[in-house]
Amino acid sequence: MKNKWLIILAIIIIFSPLLFLGDAEFLGADSIAEEQIQVLAPHYVPWFSSILEPKSGEVESLLFALQAALGAGFIGYVIGLFKGRKESSAK
């Protein structure tokens, strides 16, 4: 019963920005920061440029999602490894 309410709450949290801010632009933090830097310091020159520039926003989103999935998988593996070691040493 508790899980049902958590799932409903998660769905509300996920879709509420889409319902209430339907015409808003959902930009990433990098693009917003770049705009602010150009406003505050128009003569700023970046230290380096990207080695690989994705061809489209979809590819960029795919790479970001892949990075997040690999990071979450690694963290889950490490937590499971330590939990397994703790349980096996307790026996």
Side-chain angles (χ1 to χ4, degrees):
M1 186 68 170
K2 184 195 270 187
N3 289 338
K4 179 177 127 178
W5 289 111
L6 288 175
I7 291 171
I8 291 171
L9 180 64
I11 290 171
I12 291 170
I13 290 172
I14 290 169
F15 287 107
S16 61
L18 299 175
L19 294 174
F20 297 115
L21 304 172
D23 59 344
E25 291 185 41
F26 294 100
L27 300 174
D30 292 343
S31 59
I32 294 171
E34 184 178 347
E35 289 174 6
Q36 287 299 313
I37 289 170
Q38 291 300 322
V39 169
L40 297 173
H43 301 294
Y44 174 77
V45 178
W47 295 357
F48 59 90
S49 61
S50 298
I51 296 171
L52 171 69
E53 189 70 32
K55 301 257 185 219
S56 67
E58 290 83 11
V59 174
E60 186 175 359
S61 295
L62 172 70
L63 293 174
F64 181 75
L66 181 62
Q67 177 186 0
L70 289 173
F74 177 76
I75 290 170
Y77 173 78
V78 170
I79 290 172
L81 180 68
F82 287 143
K83 183 172 172 41
R85 284 183 181 172
K86 184 178 179 181
E87 288 179 358
S88 67
S89 67
K91 289 182 181 180

